[in-house]
Amino acid sequence: MNRKLILAGAAAFVLAALALATAYLYIPGGVRPSFSEGDVRVYLGDGGTVQLRWPQARVENDTGGLPDAAETVPEEDGKNPPEAPAEGAGDQGPPVSYSLNVKSGDQHIQKLLSSPDAFLGQLALPLSVRIQAVVEGKNLLGLTRRLTSQTLAVQVDSVELNAPEVVGTPGPGNLSLSWTLPGGTAGLYEVYAQGGLVASTASKALELKVGRGGDVPLPGYHQPLEVSVRAAFQGKGYVLCGPASNLIRVERQDLLGDDLNLAYHEEEPRVVSLEWDETRGEFYEVHEWHEGGWTLLDTLEPAEHFLYDLGRLGSGSHHRFQVAALDRNGTLRSSEEVEFFAAADPLYATVWPIIEQPFYEKADGSSPTLGKIPGGTALCVLEESGDWFSVRYKDQYGWVDSRFCMINLPEYVGDHCSYDIANSYRSAFKVHENPIALITDQVIQGFEHIQTADEQFLVPYLYPCSKKLLSAAQAAEKDGYRLKIYEAFRPNEATRFLYDTTAGQLELAALVYSYENAGGEPLGEDEEPRILDPVTGWEVDLSDGLLIDPETEEKISREDLALRQAEEEAGEAQEDAETVPPGPDGQPIPAGPQEGDTPENPPFFTLPAEGEGGSLAPAPETESQPDPEPAPQPTPQTETPEGAQAPEGEEGEEGGETEEPVEYDTYFTVMTNGGRFSLGSFLARVTSAHNRGIALDLTLETIDGKEELEMQSAIHDLSWYSAAYLNNDNAKLLEKYMTATGMRGLSSEWWHFQDDETREAIGLSSYLFKGVNMGGWTKDDQGWRYRDEDGSVLRDTTFKADGNFYTADQDGYVLP
């Protein structure tokens, strides 16, 4: 029993002793330190001084991490060896210190240091060096305990190493170094920059890469790059480095090149920035090409790297930017350009439903509707999702089917095309070279708001078709050409007006141009040609079709002129009646036409009554109808030129024959090529593909010179001269670009192409009667604005829209 008690007591004593020993030895969170891989470095100074540097000690903290350290300890001669890491930085573990023992002959140095380096002053080689890393902490008994690493021990031999003599040559992004070593050679050379070791080599030359991704970063402004070289000897566990060479100092500008490496980046559609590298020069200018010259956008001070935000650019817009580096005196050091198109994206573009459209809560045709949006309503695209546009209508936000929306081409296709919607300011419609009264050079009915207040054009075109157009435009660009659009959507009211007005003049003598003034002298370069009626020789005002009396300069219609001529003839006949013998009944025979007689000179022009040749109201849909039967051509008046003798005839004063009436080309004869074509070949009588927003009238121009390519006729020439079978090479090229997208042309018009594929795919069967405008809400990245019909933004005013009052600031943005 006693023996068991004794054994138990002994065991308890041993356990207590072990617990006490553990409590004494254990430091909570403490781990024995260990050195990182690497050599001890011994740096010799010019005056025989010695400085040591050794690998940093590794100490795991409670989370398993390692403490950081980075502290520069300058040498007494001002030439720094590589930067030393500072222990315990960031409070990541227990502090580390270093126990250093150095022997040099009879000298013995002992130090406890907080960083892995030591300046020892003047010492003679050889050296014996022993280093231990130490971590202190409290044990479980509250007593201070020290944990030490294994000893790092090296024997440094005595080797003679002199200071190299270095030459440095800076260049763009590099520093070329070469050196000699007085008094001998070394097997190793180390290069130091900004106090840190950056390279080791066995040769006596080295090229340092300077800048991003190089051996050393560019120095700061007014802080030169400082580089030195040391001869070195590799011993066992150490590197002995001789005195530092002469210091090479290089300014930042000397390390810069002339390559800006200018580029553009489109982080998201149409949000673009310019990026370039720093070059030699003391400031930078950013320019944009505008209307044939460079416009200064900004001036920037030097920086290591530039990212210049251009903001959100217009969809499909073409841009050309330049960045120039200059000295303070304005001398150009270097410049580079970039040229690009912004992405085509419908955000913030103006769209119009081609027909009345449901307005849905979500981008889903099965979601609840918020009502209906009438066709032709101007809307602003806020987002695109599949086949849906998010829009604002009457202060509600919802979704509309994008396939049934016309988009404004300049706001989507942008600069990939050019635009000249002549019908909005001076229509180009003619019958070959003959102008048409009420049409040529006029604003066509329904196009009143197509040219905006800032002299831009609205070019509505069905959104799915516009994607095909973009493809054709980009194909043309590759060949150096640009598509030039003269017409896209044409309201049905314009279709009816063009057909009816032209039909009413088909059998009239075609008006002609005269390039001489009334006196027969040639017109000046800035003078417009005169429009003449070939029958009377009088000028005609195309805006109203009236003749201009050359004697009174008053306007008169052809009907009134015919009546006036008839009255004059009747008066002359009355005068002649006094000398005319009485008739069979004994009464004088009255002069002039009698009731039931056919006038010899009937009016040769009659304006169509409203609805003649096609109603002005919407009619049942049809692509083309036969032209009405042409009225008989009236006999033109003839005159004997002043000073000329009247031709002889049976009724002539001298028995001469009567002169045959002069025949003039009518619009019908010029247009149809003897009846081979008709008015319906060129103008739809009731509805056309233009009314549905799926047709285009366009040509080609050169990108560089913006010169239109010559075709077999002018665009909108309503005559057989425009027929596709006469297509020249340029017209065939246009046809190639357009038909490659799936569009088709017309046999009578080289300029017309329509997207029947899209019409059939979406089941579009109706059209828009009235013209469109920009009136309504529009948005950009800065906020909402409200526009009048002519596109002008309301500014500095309070206005009412959708039943609410709003206030716009000086830029037109609605205040919250």
Side-chain angles (χ1 to χ4, degrees):
M1 182 67 180
N2 291 336
R3 183 175 181 179
K4 289 182 178 180
L5 290 174
I6 293 172
L7 290 175
F13 176 79
V14 171
L15 290 174
L18 288 174
L20 183 62
T22 300
Y24 176 78
L25 295 175
Y26 179 70
I27 300 176
V31 179
R32 187 177 298 277
S34 60
F35 286 105
S36 302
E37 294 292 330
D39 294 323
V40 175
R41 271 186 159 70
V42 182
Y43 296 99
L44 303 179
D46 291 335
T49 60
V50 176
Q51 184 169 357
L52 299 180
R53 170 66 49 76
W54 54 88
Q56 179 184 350
R58 302 168 57 89
V59 181
E60 294 185 359
N61 57 23
D62 290 336
T63 60
L66 297 173
D68 284 338
E71 179 182 357
T72 299
V73 179
E75 295 187 26
E76 288 187 355
D77 63 2
K79 299 177 182 178
N80 299 338
E83 293 182 350
E87 296 293 346
D91 195 24
Q92 297 188 24
V96 178
S97 56
Y98 299 91
S99 175
L100 174 66
N101 284 273
V102 179
K103 289 184 179 180
S104 172
D106 295 335
Q107 291 183 282
H108 184 201
I109 300 174
Q110 289 185 315
K111 291 186 177 184
L112 186 64
L113 305 166
S114 60
S115 60
D117 59 80
F119 179 75
L120 303 179
Q122 290 184 335
L123 280 180
L125 300 179
L127 299 177
S128 173
V129 179
R130 297 174 62 84
I131 308 168
Q132 278 189 314
V134 180
V135 174
E136 291 188 351
K138 298 288 186 180
N139 61 17
L140 294 177
L141 300 178
L143 302 176
T144 300
R145 286 280 292 133
R146 300 178 67 189
L147 296 177
T148 59
S149 68
Q150 293 182 341
T151 300
L152 188 62
V154 295
Q155 297 293 323
V156 181
D157 296 331
S158 177
V159 178
E160 183 178 357
L161 296 171
N162 298 321
E165 295 178 356
V166 183
V167 175
T169 304
N174 67 79
L175 175 61
S176 295
L177 300 171
S178 61
W179 56 86
T180 58
L181 185 65
T185 60
L188 180 66
Y189 298 93
E190 294 190 337
V191 181
Y192 295 85
Q194 308 298 65
L197 175 65
V198 294
S200 296
T201 179
S203 67
K204 293 184 179 181
L206 182 69
E207 184 174 284
L208 285 180
K209 300 296 182 182
V210 184
R212 284 181 298 161
D215 302 310
V216 60
L218 278 169
Y221 299 104
H222 310 297
Q223 297 177 351
L225 173 66
E226 296 184 340
V227 179
S228 62
V229 179
R230 292 174 182 262
F233 170 77
Q234 176 70 62
K236 184 177 181 180
Y238 71 93
V239 176
L240 177 63
C241 302
S245 69
N246 55 300
L247 202 59
I248 302 298
R249 289 184 172 87
V250 182
E251 297 293 336
R252 183 185 183 94
Q253 285 282 316
D254 297 330
L255 295 165
L256 298 175
D258 293 323
D259 294 330
L260 289 157
N261 299 316
L262 180 62
Y264 72 94
H265 302 284
E266 196 164 1
E267 291 80 8
E268 58 181 278
R270 297 161 47 198
V271 177
V272 181
S273 60
L274 298 178
E275 184 177 18
W276 68 92
D277 294 330
E278 183 181 13
T279 62
R280 289 181 292 182
E282 298 179 78
F283 68 95
Y284 300 85
E285 290 183 346
V286 182
H287 301 91
E288 182 176 15
W289 186 262
H290 181 67
E291 295 183 352
W294 291 110
T295 299
L296 178 64
L297 296 182
D298 209 346
T299 300
L300 304 174
E301 292 298 315
E304 182 175 355
H305 189 66
F306 294 89
L307 195 65
Y308 186 80
D309 186 15
L310 297 172
R312 191 180 301 276
L313 304 178
S315 176
S317 55
H318 176 260
H319 298 274
R320 182 180 170 191
F321 292 96
Q322 179 194 71
V323 173
L326 302 96
D327 290 334
R328 288 297 174 190
N329 60 8
T331 301
L332 179 67
R333 298 299 300 262
S334 60
S335 67
E336 290 184 18
E337 298 178 20
V338 289
E339 189 171 357
F340 60 90
F341 282 95
D345 175 67
L347 181 65
Y348 302 144
T350 304
V351 296
W352 302 266
I354 187 66
I355 56 177
E356 184 179 69
Q357 283 289 289
F359 190 35
Y360 294 98
E361 286 187 0
K362 299 179 181 178
D364 184 352
S366 62
S367 68
T369 63
L370 302 172
K372 291 188 176 181
I373 303 177
T377 303
L379 304 169
C380 180
V381 177
L382 305 178
E383 183 182 350
E384 181 181 24
S385 178
D387 289 332
W388 300 91
F389 284 151
S390 171
V391 298
R392 172 184 183 174
Y393 177 63
K394 290 189 174 179
D395 265 356
Q396 289 185 304
Y397 295 84
W399 297 82
V400 67
D401 193 331
S402 65
R403 299 174 301 167
F404 292 88
C405 289
M406 297 185 295
I407 195 167
N408 186 26
L409 287 178
E411 295 179 81
Y412 177 64
V413 174
D415 297 327
H416 290 287
C417 295
S418 64
Y419 313 90
D420 187 5
I421 312 304
N423 287 341
S424 68
Y425 67 99
R426 193 171 182 178
S427 171
F429 281 109
K430 297 177 185 176
V431 177
H432 199 43
E433 297 177 354
N434 305 105
I436 312 169
L438 305 176
I439 294 178
T440 305
D441 293 343
Q442 308 307 304
V443 175
I444 301 302
Q445 181 177 325
F447 284 82
E448 294 84 358
H449 300 296
I450 292 300
Q451 188 173 32
T452 62
D454 58 357
E455 298 186 345
Q456 301 299 311
F457 296 109
L458 301 184
V459 191
Y461 191 48
L462 206 65
Y463 183 52
C465 306
S466 68
K467 297 177 182 178
K468 294 185 178 182
L469 173 64
L470 178 60
S471 174
Q474 290 171 333
E477 285 168 353
K478 292 179 180 179
D479 297 334
Y481 303 112
R482 182 181 291 113
L483 301 180
K484 185 175 183 179
I485 298 174
Y486 273 87
E487 190 174 356
F489 166 68
R490 178 190 300 169
N492 188 250
E493 61 177 320
T495 293
R496 306 295 179 86
F497 169 79
L498 288 169
Y499 186 93
D500 294 344
T501 305
T502 306
Q505 303 178 59
L506 277 181
E507 296 301 329
L508 302 181
L511 301 179
V512 296
Y513 288 102
S514 172
Y515 297 91
E516 295 179 347
N517 60 26
E521 297 177 351
L523 297 175
E525 293 183 359
D526 298 331
E527 293 184 278
E528 294 280 349
R530 298 190 301 150
I531 311 298
L532 300 182
D533 163 42
V535 178
T536 63
W538 290 7
E539 286 192 51
V540 178
D541 187 335
L542 287 177
S543 66
D544 52 24
L546 298 179
L547 299 168
I548 301 174
D549 190 323
E551 295 182 0
T552 65
E553 296 187 354
E554 293 180 352
K555 291 184 179 181
I556 184 171
S557 68
R558 290 164 175 79
E559 296 87 346
D560 289 344
L561 176 60
L563 292 174
R564 189 173 77 179
Q565 289 174 340
E567 291 173 356
E568 291 175 353
E569 290 175 1
E572 292 173 358
Q574 181 66 34
E575 293 176 1
D576 293 340
E578 298 176 359
T579 61
V580 175
D585 57 358
Q587 300 297 322
I589 300 175
Q594 305 301 305
E595 184 177 354
D597 292 345
T598 302
E600 294 181 1
N601 295 301
F604 58 89
F605 177 91
T606 303
L607 287 175
E610 184 174 351
E612 183 176 313
S615 171
L616 293 179
E621 188 176 352
T622 177
E623 283 301 323
S624 63
Q625 297 184 11
D627 293 329
E629 290 296 327
Q633 173 72 7
T635 304
Q637 300 182 47
T638 60
E639 296 181 359
T640 301
E642 184 177 353
Q645 183 177 359
E648 297 183 358
E650 292 181 357
E651 299 180 4
E653 293 182 357
E654 308 209 357
E657 295 182 356
T658 304
E659 180 182 357
E660 291 294 327
V662 178
E663 293 185 0
Y664 300 98
D665 284 334
T666 66
Y667 289 108
F668 180 82
T669 57
V670 175
M671 175 185 293
T672 65
N673 191 21
R676 184 174 182 180
F677 293 89
S678 67
L679 177 59
S681 303
F682 309 102
L683 294 173
R685 180 178 182 182
V686 180
T687 59
S688 76
H690 284 285
N691 305 156
R692 298 183 176 91
I694 64 170
L696 289 169
D697 292 348
L698 73 169
T699 187
L700 285 171
E701 67 178 11
T702 60
I703 290 179
D704 295 337
K706 297 183 179 180
E707 296 180 357
E708 291 189 23
L709 272 60
E710 184 177 355
M711 305 294 183
Q712 65 263 30
S713 74
I715 198 167
H716 286 171
D717 176 359
L718 307 179
S719 77
W720 67 274
Y721 294 91
S722 304
Y725 78 87
L726 296 174
N727 277 3
N728 62 12
D729 289 342
N730 294 333
K732 291 176 182 177
L733 183 62
L734 174 64
E735 181 182 30
K736 183 190 77 169
Y737 295 137
M738 300 305 295
T739 56
T741 68
M743 297 189 191
R744 73 173 183 88
L746 293 182
S747 61
S748 55
E749 297 176 354
W750 60 261
W751 61 78
H752 178 103
F753 295 90
Q754 60 191 57
D755 188 1
D756 292 327
E757 289 181 349
T758 293
R759 175 189 172 187
E760 294 171 3
I762 66 177
L764 179 61
S765 60
S766 189
Y767 56 90
L768 195 59
F769 181 74
K770 298 294 292 183
V772 300
N773 59 68
M774 297 190 80
W777 290 104
T778 185
K779 191 179 186 298
D780 59 23
D781 286 340
Q782 297 184 55
W784 285 99
R785 299 195 288 180
Y786 198 86
R787 296 183 295 205
D788 277 335
E789 290 183 342
D790 65 357
S792 58
V793 174
L794 302 184
R795 305 172 189 269
D796 277 329
T797 187
T798 297
F799 62 93
K800 187 176 182 180
D802 302 328
N804 300 313
F805 286 95
Y806 300 91
T807 299
D809 64 16
Q810 62 181 1
D811 296 318
Y813 292 101
V814 173
L815 301 177

